[in-house]
């Protein structure tokens, strides 16, 4: 049997501003998706007959990337991520599926994380009408801390470039990695899920029309870009207090862009007394917030009491990898 795990992600800084060419900083989290595959006498997913039309990421990887025409497969998928919550569960599924299939077809051969990131990105684009940022797939493939931007960002290591033909034209990104210092192990991320689903496309469109209506809010994007760079410097230096302050500041700007929600505010407020910083993460409107804390259990309890579902993670988990049987 071939088994692989790929992590989810959470955005620490730069959501929404990244749509306008500014950098975004994401980290891989401990929650993720595990895929196992083995040959079988019929095609199944989770024990049920596999219907390829209902699983666009899996079918794309099987048919178009690997052009698989071998025996039927029994596929199992286990996710420890909240789905449709901005934690990159579909990217993690694509990467884990690609890794498990690679290992099934080429036993003993190492994984190529950049090839998996590219494959995952094209699977996402295919499933999302040609629009997909490479943030989720790159962070899940490479692990650690990843900066996605229109260009190389100072203080980071360039890993690869991604491009995509979208309905709005050609788009290009630079994918950069950040080496995190050891003392970041003293702090944890506590993600809080509101339970509300809010489609990313709708939130991005909402910000676009708000900017049209109030062009003065463009200053908020520049402010997020400044905070992102400061947050990145603090992360690289292992200055936990400054990372937390940058998270708080980023949240305030996102509030002004009207992408927070009462449920997100309740969780951010509940987390803050015990945290170094807290903010909404991802598209907003619902989905998740994230806090940085030295005592993650207290924050997780506060989030739970405020009505959220907590998930504790290291700051930057390992990227996609194979699992022993
Ligand atoms: O889909 P999410 O919740 O991970 O957030 C996407 C981040 C945005 O900046 C809002 C959109 C994007 O494509 O980068």
């Amino acid at each position: 049997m071939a088994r692989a795990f790929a992590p989810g992600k959470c955005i620490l800084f730069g959501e929404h501003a990244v749509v306008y060419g500014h950098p975004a900083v994401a980290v891989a989290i401990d929650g993720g998706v595990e895929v196992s595959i083995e040959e079988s006498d019929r095609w199944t997913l989770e024990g049920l007959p596999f219907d390829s039309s209902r699983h666009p990421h899996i079918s794309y990887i099987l048919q178009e990337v690997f052009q698989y025409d071998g025996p039927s497969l029994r596929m199992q998928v286990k996710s420890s991520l909240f789905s449709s919550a901005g934690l990159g569960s579909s990217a993690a599924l694509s990467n884990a599926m690609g890794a498990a299939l690679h290992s099934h077809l080429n036993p003993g051969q190492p994984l190529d994380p950049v090839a998996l990131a590219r494959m995952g990105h094209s699977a996402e684009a295919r499933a999302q009408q040609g629009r997909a940022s490479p943030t989720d797939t790159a962070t899940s493939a490479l692990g650690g801390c990843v900066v996605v931007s229109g260009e190389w960002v100072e203080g980071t290591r360039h890993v690869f470039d991604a491009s995509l033909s979208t309905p709005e034209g050609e788009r290009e990104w630079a994918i950069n990695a950040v080496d995190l210092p050891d003392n970041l192990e003293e702090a944890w991320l506590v993600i809080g899920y509101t339970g509300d689903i809010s489609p990313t496309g709708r939130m991005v469109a909402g910000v676009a029309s708000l900017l049209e209506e109030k062009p003065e809010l463009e200053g908020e994007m520049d402010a997020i870009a400044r905070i992102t760079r400061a947050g990145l410097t603090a992360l690289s230096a292992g200055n936990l207090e400054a990372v937390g302050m940058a998270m708080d500041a980023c949240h305030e700007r996102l509030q002004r862009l009207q992408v927070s929600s009462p449920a997100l505010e309740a969780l951010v407020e509940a987390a803050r007394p015990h945290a170094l910083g807290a903010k909404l993460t991802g598209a907003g409107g619902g989905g998740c917030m994230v806090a940085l804390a030295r005592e993650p259990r207290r924050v997780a309890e506060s989030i739970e009491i405020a009505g959220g579902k907590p998930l504790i993670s290291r700051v930057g988990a390992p990227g996609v990898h194979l699992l022993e049987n």
Side-chain angles (χ1 to χ4, degrees):
M1 185 194 287
R3 289 171 65 215
F5 177 85
K9 69 89 183 56
C10 108
I11 298 181
L12 286 187
F13 304 108
E15 49 272 270
H16 288 289
V18 67
V19 176
Y20 297 83
H22 298 300
V25 180
V27 287
I29 57 173
D30 287 316
V33 175
E34 181 187 322
V35 170
S36 56
I37 51 182
E38 61 188 333
E39 285 179 11
S40 166
D41 54 359
R42 57 206 170 94
W43 281 95
T44 59
L45 178 64
E46 293 300 296
L48 297 170
F50 175 57
D51 173 358
S52 61
S53 66
R54 290 188 53 211
H55 302 281
H57 295 81
I58 296 180
S59 344
Y60 173 79
I61 292 166
L62 277 168
Q63 289 154 18
E64 300 197 33
V65 180
F66 286 88
Q67 293 168 347
Y68 183 82
D69 59 1
S72 314
L73 297 174
R74 175 186 301 134
M75 302 178 282
Q76 300 284 355
V77 175
K78 267 193 271 176
S79 174
S80 51
L81 295 169
F82 310 119
S83 66
S84 307
L87 299 182
S89 62
S90 67
L93 168 65
S94 296
N95 286 350
M97 182 70 205
L101 202 53
H102 168 84
S103 155
H104 178 70
L105 296 172
N106 311 283
Q109 272 188 34
L111 296 178
D112 175 350
V114 171
L116 284 168
R118 290 189 194 284
M119 183 213 66
H121 186 209
S122 56
E124 294 266 274
R126 178 62 70 90
Q128 295 165 197
Q129 291 80 45
R131 292 183 190 88
S133 127
T135 311
D136 294 13
T137 43
T139 311
S140 174
L142 303 177
C145 179
V146 167
V147 180
V148 174
S149 181
E151 58 197 4
W152 173 73
V153 175
E154 207 181 316
T156 66
R157 187 162 39 83
H158 179 254
V159 184
F160 72 101
D161 291 317
S163 62
L164 189 68
S165 301
T166 73
E168 289 76 34
E170 201 65 27
R171 287 205 61 191
E172 286 181 8
W173 299 268
I175 313 294
N176 311 286
V178 181
D179 298 316
L180 297 175
D182 290 345
N183 79 317
L184 275 188
E185 287 168 14
E186 287 167 27
W188 300 81
L189 296 177
V190 189
I191 290 158
Y193 178 41
T194 56
D196 302 331
I197 289 172
S198 172
T200 299
R202 199 175 69 201
M203 297 310 294
V204 170
V207 170
S209 45
L210 181 68
L211 289 178
E212 221 164 89
E213 200 184 304
K214 297 182 178 169
E216 67 276 13
L217 285 177
E218 259 160 48
E220 301 301 329
M221 291 297 177
D222 298 330
I224 292 177
R226 270 199 313 277
I227 294 164
T228 300
R229 286 173 203 280
L232 192 54
T233 306
L235 261 180
S236 307
N239 184 345
L240 296 172
E241 274 70 23
V243 176
M245 280 165 58
M247 289 169 74
D248 288 346
C250 190
H251 183 71
E252 214 174 285
R253 302 295 173 162
L254 291 166
Q255 280 175 323
R256 293 189 204 163
L257 292 176
Q258 300 180 12
V259 295
S260 192
S261 72
L264 282 166
E265 288 304 309
L267 301 190
V268 165
E269 249 174 60
R272 277 198 177 146
H274 312 291
L276 295 156
K279 63 184 278 289
L280 72 86
T281 180
C288 295
M289 49 70 69
V290 61
L292 181 74
R294 285 201 169 87
E295 290 185 47
R297 302 227 162 268
R298 296 188 69 178
V299 176
E301 279 157 18
S302 308
I303 286 174
E304 212 157 10
I305 290 166
K309 289 197 185 117
L311 194 158
I312 297 176
S313 168
R314 279 172 286 183
V315 185
V320 64
H321 53 275
L322 298 174
L323 299 169
E324 299 288 324
N325 283 314

